[in-house]
Amino acid sequence: MDSPTTETTPHPPTLCGPFVGAIDEGTTSARFIIFRAGTDEIVCFHQIEVESIFQKEGWCEQDPMAIVNTVNECIAGACKKLIAVGGKVEEIITIGITNQRESTVVWDRNSGQPLVNAIIWLDNRTTSTVEELLETIPNNARNINYLRPLCGLPLSPYFSGVKLRWLRDNVPVVSQAMEKGTAMFGTIDTWLMYNLTGGKDCGVHKTDVTNASRTMLMNIETLQWDANLLKFFGLPKTILPEICSSSEFYGKIAQGVLQGIGITSVLGDQQAALVGQQCLAKGQAKATYGTGCFLLYNTGPSIVHSTHGLLTTVGYQLGRKAVPFYALEGSVSIAGAAFNWLRDNMNLIQNSGQIESMASTVDNSLDVYFVPAFNGLYAPYWNQDARGVICGLSEETTSEHIVRATLEAVCFQVRDILDSMHKDCKIPLAKLMVDGGMTVNNLFLQLQSDLVGIQVLRAKIAETTALGAAMAAYKAVESRYQMEAPLSKTGPRDAIKPSISATDRNLRYQKWKMAIDRSLNWETSTLPQGEREAFDGA
Ligand SMILES: Nc1ncnc2c1ncn2[C@@H]1O[C@H](COP(=O)(O)OP(=O)(O)O)[C@@H](O)[C@H]1O
Ligand SMILES: O=P(O)(O)OC[C@H](O)CO
């Protein structure tokens, strides 16, 4: 007979804090990640997908309340896991917020309820608004770069100011609330902050410099809302949040498991990844591959105005009195999103786990080029009338070639951006730090290194975006914290080197450029006169 054992309630081992939490509200999913303070060690996290609503062609919305509820569920889920591994929620000393940028929410000051769904950054409904705004530019110039000296950005459906103007012009409940002074505007950080700190009762109405720098309403030099920009867009200042630095006390969480804990950082997700990758010195750059792909190059305290289609944006300002650091950004709207399309619209893949195995069964894309310009092309083209094309199809083309061409499309778009950065900054990048959902794919990173001809360094942890928010939050509460100190002794997870010749790389890039030419201006292209007449007469 077995000897009797004493029944005891199992206790998890004790896990000592302090901890720092980070809310990462991305386009595809939200997550709450708990780090050991001052390190890149993830203690636990909880992640939930967020649904996008596609009401009409080119539109992309999300339910603002669903975003808040999902974030609250992520917080509750991660805290439960923290307790399960022996940690104490009371040892979370502060939290930070990082978020999909440009996405626009308008809500009612009295009820705290959204007036419309959030217009997501990818949404293209404002193409006609851009056209109308171009018409108002003096001397009939129709110059998309007219506002660049003030805000660093070209006129594009991408940015929040254009989305807000569309709401003013097309949604009476919003224009009336703007007139009455009861409308409040925020990007996702602001909307979350407002709700987490008490909503209509005592919610704070604030944003940070990085998110504000994506609205087209903030002056890139003064870091304040700009009267001329507000006048250009015809928007009232009363709807706007207060602009703060990326690392300071914003407010306290009003209820739930984290009640009473302070929120001490806010950063747009791409800027947070710049911090999380420790690209904290001039000349350092990172690329994050999620729904879209965003390459940011730290230009230090200097504002560099691009003449090659890049954006000038605020990188971070780590404290009220800290010097702001700027970045040049190359934005690609469709990166991982192209695989969601292959899955949901084309039924070519069932899940993202298949992408690498399918693409690896063929040696190359068999000269297939896919430009996924579903909502126009962002950097460096800024062509809102571009549309997607797949070129070079033959009888031999299979799904595997198309999947591989989709991976290559992201790589070529990054080459477009790196070429522009080289022209703007003169110094070619020797290596590129990478992170984000797509970087789990080894073949993709090899293709990226091959097609741009530089070394690619994969981050040790995939969650660099959340890490950046956690670092900025911790800095606000621990003055001795040195952000530049190495986070871990192991450096990047791995380094991938180019394996093809420069001749091969350049030939393939030339073909990519031919595919780009076919996609540009597709929406507004008309048949040549002779062919149109023949068609009309048929
Ligand atoms: N193995 C993979 N290969 C290529 N793309 C992938 C892979 N796994 C995930 N993705 C893509 O990465 C994106 C999700 O990355 P993530 O960083 O979580 O995005 P976000 O921050 O935008 O929510 C999805 O669009 C998905 O298609
Ligand atoms: O959701 P992501 O990670 O692709 O990021 C979205 C960007 O912030 C949009 O500008």
Side-chain angles (χ1 to χ4, degrees):
M1 207 175 99
D2 288 344
S3 55
T5 51
T6 328
E7 279 284 312
T8 51
T9 320
H11 281 295
T14 311
L15 189 71
C16 291
F19 307 113
V20 176
I23 296 168
D24 178 0
E25 209 295 309
T27 316
T28 312
S29 70
R31 50 202 105 166
F32 185 66
I33 302 185
I34 300 173
F35 292 90
R36 212 186 269 278
T39 77
D40 57 358
E41 190 189 326
I42 294 179
V43 178
C44 55
F45 78 101
H46 197 77
Q47 178 172 6
I48 302 174
E49 288 231 347
V50 181
E51 194 194 343
S52 289
I53 305 157
F54 302 97
Q55 286 201 45
K56 294 187 186 175
E57 196 200 329
W59 290 33
C60 180
E61 300 177 351
Q62 287 177 0
D63 174 356
M65 287 321 302
I67 293 175
V68 174
N69 295 338
T70 307
V71 164
N72 279 326
E73 273 182 60
C74 290
I75 291 174
C79 288
K80 212 168 151 190
K81 289 176 187 167
L82 178 67
I83 295 164
V85 295
K88 293 194 180 99
V89 172
E90 308 83 82
E91 291 197 65
I92 300 179
I93 50 172
T94 188
I95 74 160
I97 297 179
T98 178
N99 57 289
Q100 49 164 320
R101 307 163 304 166
E102 300 95 15
S103 301
T104 297
V105 188
V106 180
W107 66 96
D108 180 76
R109 196 179 289 279
N110 299 319
S111 69
Q113 293 299 306
L115 293 173
V116 277
N117 273 341
I119 303 185
I120 298 307
W121 58 277
L122 277 166
D123 187 295
N124 220 17
R125 76 184 66 179
T126 52
T127 305
S128 56
T129 311
V130 170
E131 285 299 320
E132 284 158 27
L133 289 167
L134 281 171
E135 291 298 327
T136 66
I137 293 174
N139 305 324
N140 220 2
R142 291 185 54 83
N143 174 9
I144 63 164
N145 295 317
Y146 177 64
L147 301 175
R148 264 187 191 268
L150 284 179
C151 63
L153 309 171
L155 256 178
S156 158
Y158 183 22
F159 304 110
S160 321
V162 182
K163 297 183 196 304
L164 257 180
R165 172 61 185 257
W166 184 93
L167 286 168
R168 192 206 80 172
D169 290 349
N170 293 281
V171 183
V173 69
V174 171
S175 52
Q176 287 154 13
M178 281 184 183
E179 271 163 36
K180 281 193 289 179
T182 53
M184 292 174 95
F185 153 77
T187 37
I188 300 296
D189 56 309
T190 306
W191 171 241
L192 285 174
M193 178 74 69
Y194 175 77
N195 280 279
L196 290 168
T197 55
K200 69 177 167 47
D201 300 322
C202 53
V204 301
H205 191 211
K206 295 180 180 175
T207 190
D208 89 305
V209 281
T210 65
N211 277 291
S213 75
R214 318 294 298 185
T215 59
M216 298 199 83
L217 305 175
M218 187 188 81
N219 186 300
I220 196 78
E221 282 178 23
T222 65
L223 305 184
Q224 292 303 317
W225 302 121
D226 183 286
N228 287 320
L229 290 169
L230 285 168
K231 190 169 166 216
F232 179 85
F233 286 100
L235 296 168
K237 196 174 175 192
T238 51
I239 63 173
L240 301 175
E242 178 191 343
I243 303 175
C244 304
S245 78
S246 316
S247 175
E248 64 178 67
F249 178 77
Y250 276 74
K252 281 188 178 172
I253 297 197
Q255 56 187 22
V257 63
L258 296 182
Q259 186 174 11
I261 293 177
I263 305 173
T264 56
S265 79
V266 174
L267 284 152
D269 56 5
Q270 303 309 321
Q271 285 88 339
L274 191 72
V275 173
Q277 285 267 26
Q278 289 188 302
C279 293
L280 299 169
K282 184 175 172 175
Q284 293 182 317
K286 68 87 207 180
T288 303
Y289 304 81
T291 308
C293 169
F294 303 87
L295 208 155
L296 269 71
Y297 178 98
N298 189 330
T299 60
S302 347
I303 297 176
V304 177
H305 281 289
S306 173
T307 46
H308 298 93
L310 303 176
L311 309 178
T312 304
T313 199
V314 179
Y316 47 83
Q317 185 194 19
L318 300 170
R320 259 175 199 267
K321 295 194 178 135
V323 174
F325 269 53
Y326 291 89
L328 273 178
E329 174 177 320
S331 330
V332 169
S333 60
I334 305 293
F339 292 101
N340 300 359
W341 181 80
L342 288 186
R343 182 193 62 196
D344 301 337
N345 298 35
M346 295 291 111
N347 284 324
L348 236 55
I349 57 169
Q350 272 71 52
N351 55 61
S352 47
Q354 280 180 303
I355 300 168
E356 184 165 1
S357 51
M358 274 179 83
S360 303
T361 60
V362 288
D363 293 334
N364 53 53
S365 62
L366 212 64
D367 228 15
V368 172
Y369 289 80
F370 176 17
V371 183
F374 301 146
N375 59 342
L377 279 170
Y378 287 6
Y381 307 100
W382 298 108
N383 189 289
Q384 61 184 20
D385 297 319
R387 287 296 174 271
V389 292
I390 302 182
C391 309
L393 299 175
S394 70
E395 271 185 11
E396 280 74 42
T397 306
T398 62
S399 320
E400 285 77 10
H401 294 118
I402 292 180
V403 170
R404 194 170 173 117
T406 312
L407 288 174
E408 291 183 352
V410 181
C411 305
F412 284 126
Q413 293 188 87
V414 168
R415 161 104 192 234
D416 286 338
I417 287 167
L418 282 172
D419 283 2
S420 292
M421 279 190 177
H422 186 186
K423 286 178 196 147
D424 276 335
C425 301
K426 308 293 180 260
I427 309 156
L429 266 189
K431 50 194 176 186
L432 183 64
M433 331 265 270
V434 301
D435 58 83
M438 283 187 73
T439 60
V440 297
N441 186 322
N442 295 319
L443 172 65
F444 167 64
L445 292 188
Q446 186 61 57
L447 290 170
Q448 182 64 96
S449 178
D450 286 349
L451 294 175
V452 296
I454 62 172
Q455 206 180 55
V456 167
L457 302 181
R458 173 161 41 189
K460 190 175 138 250
I461 67 156
E463 305 296 345
T464 49
T465 301
L467 175 62
M471 288 163 67
Y474 189 48
K475 187 172 172 55
V477 296
E478 175 51 73
S479 55
R480 286 167 302 171
Y481 173 46
Q482 295 290 326
M483 274 180 134
E484 294 80 6
L487 282 163
S488 65
K489 295 189 180 75
T490 50
R493 188 174 130 195
D494 47 10
I496 299 101
K497 294 190 182 131
S499 66
I500 64 170
S501 70
T503 314
D504 190 6
R505 174 179 314 124
N506 291 336
L507 276 174
R508 287 157 79 176
Y509 188 59
Q510 277 173 25
K511 275 260 170 116
W512 165 257
K513 286 295 214 185
M514 286 162 58
I516 285 280
D517 278 347
R518 284 157 175 79
S519 112
L520 291 172
N521 300 313
W522 180 264
E523 190 65 3
T524 46
S525 300
T526 46
L527 290 171
Q529 194 62 31
E531 290 174 34
R532 170 172 283 280
E533 279 156 13
F535 181 77
D536 288 343

